Amino acid sequence: MEPELEFMRRSFARYYDSNSVDIPYRFGRREFGFIMFEGGFFKRHMAFEKSGQLQNFMRTAIPRHAYYSTAYYRRPNGAKMADKGWMGADLIFDLDADHIAGADRMTYPEMLAAVKKQFIKLVDDFLNLDFGFDYKDIKIVFSGGRGYHAHISDERVIRLQSHERREIVDYITGIGLETDRLLEKDAAEVAKYKEHRKIIDVYHLAPKDAGGWKGKVSRGIGELLLEMRDMGEKEWVSMMRGEVEEIGRERVARMSGAKNMGKGTFESLYRELFTNGKYTRIIEEGNLNIFRSEKQKNLFLFLMLRMLKLSLEGETDEPVTSDIKRLIRLPGSLHGKSALRVIKLDRERLNDFNPIVDAIPDVFREREVKITLKNDIVQPVGEEAGKKLYAGEISVPVYLALFLMGRRVASIE
Amino acid sequence: MEPQDLARFPFLKEASSYIAEQGLDILQVLDDFVYLNAVNMGRKRVFSAITEGEIPQVSARDEESATDAIISYAVDRIIVSTLPDSYLINRYSRVEAESAAAYLYDEPADFVMRVASDLNFPLELGDSEDFRMHFSDYLIYSSSMRDAAWKLINQELKGGYIPMTKRRAVRLMQNAIESKISEKLPLPLPDDVKDYFRKDTKRLEILVAEAKSRFSESDLGEYSPERLPPCIKHVMAMAQQGINIPHMGRFALVSFLNAIGMEEEEIMAVFALSPDFREDLTRYQVEHITGISSGIEYNVPECSTMKTNGLCFAEEDNDSLCRKDWLKHPLQYYRIKGEEKKGNGKENGGANKGKKV
């Protein structure tokens, strides 16, 4: 074995000597899988009857990565998936740095902070508010790597099949939203002009406490209008025109039915809304009957919904949620590439949780070790994260050495 | 529930207990001229379901006629079971369920709740609307509904529940009723019962054969590339340019070409134009998806799945047919384009609206 792997394995052994892994709910029904240090092979289809056996396995086999199945099986140790007898699976949400725009330009701590922010939105706005899960039933886990997981073992959801779970993902990520259903229709109004009569559908925003995306949009439009009110006319007009350019004029025309979307159109829209103060009627009454023309209204709504949708939609990894036979990291074990602890949290603890410090196991803080850094880097974990480290031989705490070796940027004699 | 009510919902547990309480068993019913009327009603029920697509109106004025109506339901299940054919069972169950739903729409909320509880259908009384349902149950019972109006994201989900009008609640219940009706079919039958209905079985056989042949005539016709929907055109173009196609795209393309009747070799030929064509690999995939090797012939993914996987090009191509909100499936597109070509389709598709794929 390479000396780095050997060092990691010895350190992991010390960790598992004094730490236990968390025993998952209904753990006798779960399949376990491990990636070993030796040869890096994947040991799957294991099951444990007693928690002591699992703890003992961790202490003696010292795996590099430890996973358990989100599914419950009649025979979790069946060698083929078809033999196992699927009984249900926890509903899992996984959010990591891949879902964060611009994550590749962020440092590790910045990236984790951005993921946490998105994750809190997922838990609060979607899992709790819309899907109605109590915070105590949402098990939150820091993955030890680049993100967070939420596990839900509610009886009503563990039976859901893959295509049903995909609907949940679509709900969260905003796929298939029919924007015309977001508004509520009043009784039709009859417009009279000389001899002609025309029936016009009159729409208003749903009440702010409405459920689903309807409510989200009604609340969001209110907030967005308040932000817009504080902009000057010039800034607002150029922002709206920028939005049109980004989507493409032709497409805006096709989808909103509007023809005019030049400077003048937006200037008059701004005056109508903000200079004349009509935006308050939208916020207070949900009234959309304040525009000069249908086309102007449709243009405004189309652009507002475009801007809002991005800020309202959540993120979660589709394949993880819709996979009903997946293996996921075992809380209490170590992540084999970061040597950080996979930690079970709750919603309250999540607020102040700082993974780059709080996920460091105590046994890796006790001493320092000499390593050779391949390049200059910014220290990714620990209290001194952000500090510049230079290529060459340095002495660092064990946790940092492990993290850097796991990422293959440091070597050890 | 009164027998008069059970007559309209004879599939309920309560209806079978009622019959059991009367001490009736089916052999006795068939032999007893007192029940001749019920038996004939049962015949009418089946044949009307197959030929007209509806169940004759049940008029249960008194307990006696209600009992007859309930028995007629037991009889029609037996007649259906004499011909084990999945087309027959599906059509019959769908029509029975639609008929029950039509009655339910007119019932008050508490009655709907009683039917729901007999069926173990997880409906609850609601506050903002008549009813509500937990989203997990909703997902299970709405999974066959294709219209975007049923998609979870378009529901007013709050605190785990979806508020629902009676109309929507009953529509979902119809799905539960349909599976309840088809669940045990065909029933195992003793030979003398089969003999009793031999003539009916013959007649059913002919009707089912006719219906099936009508079905295949309206089939997909000859292959023509200009009928392909934008999604399939795009994936096909990618295949031919050797651009790496995501798994779902490859799957959609192969299952689509298979569904419109292309032979395995013809499908292979589509991929063969690609510069990095690997015959063994492609053949393996084609055989798997078309069911030659897997034994399972996979269905072509519907529009919503294509959208979810970023394979829908309706908007980019500005395709007017794709934008119709009733267009749910790539094969539907292909079929309608075929009818347009024949010159008997309407551009607005109104005539094709209800078409099943």
Side-chain angles (χ1 to χ4, degrees), chain A residues 269 272-273 282 287-293 296-297 300:
Chain A
L269 200 49
E272 209 59 19
L273 279 168
I282 302 183
N287 191 337
L288 295 174
N289 223 357
I290 54 160
F291 293 91
R292 284 219 168 142
S293 69
Q296 201 186 47
K297 180 186 84 186
F300 171 77

Side-chain angles (χ1 to χ4, degrees), chain A residues 17-60:
Chain A
D17 262 345
S18 51
N19 292 277
S20 313
V21 293
D22 296 323
I23 301 300
Y25 169 65
R26 291 175 75 186
F27 103 110
R29 291 280 179 211
R30 312 272 193 172
E31 176 198 350
F32 284 79
F34 305 94
I35 293 176
M36 310 308 287
F37 279 105
E38 301 83 359
F41 76 95
F42 204 166
K43 211 170 156 65
R44 280 197 69 167
H45 308 302
M46 296 185 65
F48 299 92
E49 274 168 27
K50 293 186 178 140
S51 58
Q53 293 168 341
L54 172 60
Q55 306 293 6
N56 200 35
F57 178 87
M58 299 305 289
R59 270 194 290 275
T60 52

Side-chain angles (χ1 to χ4, degrees), chain B residues 11-276:
Chain B
F11 48 83
L12 294 179
K13 275 187 256 161
E14 214 180 316
S16 19
S17 334
Y18 173 77
I19 291 293
E21 278 163 27
Q22 312 288 307
L24 288 173
D25 84 72
I26 195 66
L27 285 175
Q28 181 196 340
V29 163
L30 297 182
D31 279 343
D32 194 334
F33 72 91
V34 172
Y35 296 109
L36 195 60
N37 183 36
V39 173
N40 282 333
M41 270 168 76
R43 287 198 169 97
K44 256 196 212 136
R45 240 181 139 104
V46 183
F47 291 116
S48 169
I50 305 309
T51 56
E52 313 292 320
E54 58 188 34
I55 304 288
Q57 187 82 20
V58 175
S59 62
R61 292 168 311 275
D62 47 32
E63 184 160 352
E64 198 181 320
S65 55
T67 310
D68 277 358
I70 301 172
I71 293 173
S72 77
Y73 169 75
V75 171
D76 78 347
R77 287 170 66 78
I78 289 174
I79 299 176
V80 166
S81 299
T82 61
L83 184 68
D85 179 282
S86 60
Y87 169 81
L88 172 65
I89 291 173
N90 290 341
R91 179 165 172 98
Y92 158 78
S93 314
R94 191 172 73 239
V95 174
E96 280 278 359
E98 278 167 2
S99 139
Y103 290 123
L104 266 182
Y105 288 130
D106 296 329
E107 296 288 346
D110 61 329
F111 188 89
V112 172
M113 284 304 292
R114 281 163 68 190
V115 174
S117 97
D118 187 292
L119 288 166
N120 286 326
F121 182 74
L123 191 64
E124 295 174 24
L125 286 172
D127 32 74
S128 64
E129 290 283 357
D130 286 350
F131 299 99
R132 64 174 203 166
M133 202 175 195
H134 191 259
F135 79 88
S136 61
D137 296 315
Y138 179 87
L139 287 177
I140 290 170
Y141 286 101
S142 68
S143 72
S144 63
M145 311 299 282
R146 296 291 174 242
D147 198 282
W150 291 95
K151 211 171 155 53
L152 183 66
I153 191 171
N154 295 315
Q155 310 310 312
E156 295 185 34
L157 176 63
K158 191 175 173 184
Y161 285 88
I162 295 168
M164 236 179 272
T165 58
K166 183 160 75 188
R167 192 141 201 105
R168 288 169 72 83
V170 169
R171 181 60 193 83
L172 288 186
M173 250 166 106
Q174 184 188 318
N175 295 349
I177 294 170
E178 188 176 331
S179 21
K180 161 117 190 194
I181 290 173
S182 64
E183 185 176 73
K184 291 197 177 118
L185 294 178
L187 306 163
L189 297 176
D191 285 347
D192 46 353
V193 173
K194 281 188 200 158
D195 283 346
Y196 185 98
F197 290 112
R198 201 162 11 156
K199 278 190 186 150
D200 300 292
T201 314
K202 266 268 160 293
R203 209 177 134 202
L204 262 189
E205 218 163 350
I206 295 166
L207 288 176
V208 168
E210 273 174 9
K212 280 185 182 168
S213 77
R214 268 202 307 278
F215 189 62
S216 61
E217 271 165 30
S218 69
D219 217 340
L220 295 147
E222 241 171 72
Y223 171 69
S224 60
E226 64 268 37
R227 288 166 57 192
L228 295 175
C231 49
I232 299 296
K233 271 189 197 150
H234 274 262
V235 182
M236 202 166 195
M238 282 166 80
Q240 299 180 340
Q241 290 157 25
I243 299 167
N244 192 23
I245 313 176
H247 173 75
M248 181 49 89
R250 197 175 284 266
F251 177 84
L253 179 57
V254 174
S255 58
F256 184 92
L257 296 177
N258 181 45
I260 62 172
M262 264 201 190
E263 298 292 330
E264 187 195 345
E265 289 311 312
E266 294 172 287
I267 302 177
M268 291 291 292
V270 170
F271 288 95
L273 292 171
S274 153
D276 59 353

Side-chain angles (χ1 to χ4, degrees), chain A residues 93 122 126 130-131 162-178 213 216 309 312-319 321-322, chain B residues 139 151-154 157 302-310:
Chain A
F93 299 91
L122 170 70
F126 290 95
D130 293 353
F131 288 95
S162 192
H163 62 277
E164 291 149 359
R165 294 173 194 234
R166 208 169 300 130
E167 282 290 306
I168 298 176
V169 175
D170 284 356
Y171 182 96
I172 292 169
T173 54
I175 291 174
L177 181 67
E178 302 256 295
W213 277 79
K216 284 181 199 302
K309 193 162 170 279
L312 292 177
E313 65 196 19
E315 287 287 352
T316 188
D317 193 41
E318 196 272 327
T321 301
S322 58
Chain B
L139 287 177
K151 211 171 155 53
L152 183 66
I153 191 171
N154 295 315
L157 176 63
E302 57 193 31
C303 294
S304 64
T305 312
M306 298 295 279
K307 266 185 208 134
T308 305
N309 285 280

Side-chain angles (χ1 to χ4, degrees), chain A residues 12-251:
Chain A
F12 278 36
R14 277 182 53 222
Y15 170 83
Y16 288 118
D17 262 345
S18 51
N19 292 277
S20 313
V21 293
D22 296 323
I23 301 300
Y25 169 65
R26 291 175 75 186
F27 103 110
R29 291 280 179 211
R30 312 272 193 172
E31 176 198 350
F32 284 79
F34 305 94
I35 293 176
M36 310 308 287
F37 279 105
E38 301 83 359
F41 76 95
F42 204 166
K43 211 170 156 65
R44 280 197 69 167
H45 308 302
M46 296 185 65
F48 299 92
E49 274 168 27
K50 293 186 178 140
S51 58
Q53 293 168 341
L54 172 60
Q55 306 293 6
N56 200 35
F57 178 87
M58 299 305 289
R59 270 194 290 275
T60 52
I62 316 160
R64 181 168 182 183
H65 300 271
Y67 306 90
Y68 73 102
S69 64
T70 59
Y72 311 97
Y73 298 108
R74 265 175 241 294
R75 290 166 298 278
N77 54 355
K80 286 187 208 137
M81 293 316 280
D83 299 339
K84 290 184 191 291
W86 188 86
M87 300 166 72
D90 295 339
L91 180 61
I92 303 285
F93 299 91
D94 170 21
L95 188 52
D96 70 22
D98 296 342
H99 294 274
I100 302 299
D104 47 342
R105 294 183 305 273
M106 296 178 188
T107 64
Y108 185 62
E110 282 167 353
M111 188 176 85
L112 282 176
V115 174
K116 190 167 108 173
K117 203 172 150 214
Q118 267 293 332
F119 186 75
I120 286 177
K121 178 172 163 189
L122 170 70
V123 171
D124 289 356
D125 294 358
F126 290 95
L127 302 186
N128 176 258
L129 194 67
D130 293 353
F131 288 95
F133 296 112
D134 277 349
Y135 282 122
K136 66 173 170 41
D137 296 327
I138 306 172
K139 294 186 189 77
I140 295 172
V141 174
F142 169 61
S143 74
R146 292 149 52 87
Y148 294 86
H149 305 151
H151 300 223
I152 293 159
S153 314
D154 184 302
E155 253 176 66
R156 290 172 296 189
V157 299
I158 63 175
R159 62 194 167 136
L160 295 179
Q161 297 294 322
S162 192
H163 62 277
E164 291 149 359
R165 294 173 194 234
R166 208 169 300 130
E167 282 290 306
I168 298 176
V169 175
D170 284 356
Y171 182 96
I172 292 169
T173 54
I175 291 174
L177 181 67
E178 302 256 295
T179 45
D180 11 333
R181 285 175 215 277
L182 293 168
L183 305 177
E184 292 185 343
K185 206 196 243 180
D186 289 324
E189 216 177 55
V190 181
K192 283 187 203 153
Y193 177 71
K194 292 181 184 169
E195 297 302 301
H196 305 281
R197 304 176 88 229
K198 196 180 163 197
I199 295 174
I200 306 167
D201 289 330
V202 180
Y203 292 92
H204 62 94
L205 291 176
K208 291 191 187 63
D209 61 352
W213 277 79
K214 249 189 190 178
K216 284 181 199 302
V217 166
S218 294
R219 295 187 292 273
I221 284 188
E223 285 162 27
L224 191 52
L225 282 171
L226 287 179
E227 280 172 36
M228 288 176 165
R229 177 197 58 188
D230 298 333
M231 284 180 171
E233 178 175 329
K234 261 198 174 153
E235 194 190 343
W236 189 82
V237 169
S238 84
M239 177 184 78
M240 296 302 266
R241 295 185 70 199
E243 192 67 27
V244 170
E245 290 311 315
E246 208 184 299
I247 304 166
R249 293 176 67 93
E250 211 178 293
R251 197 149 159 242

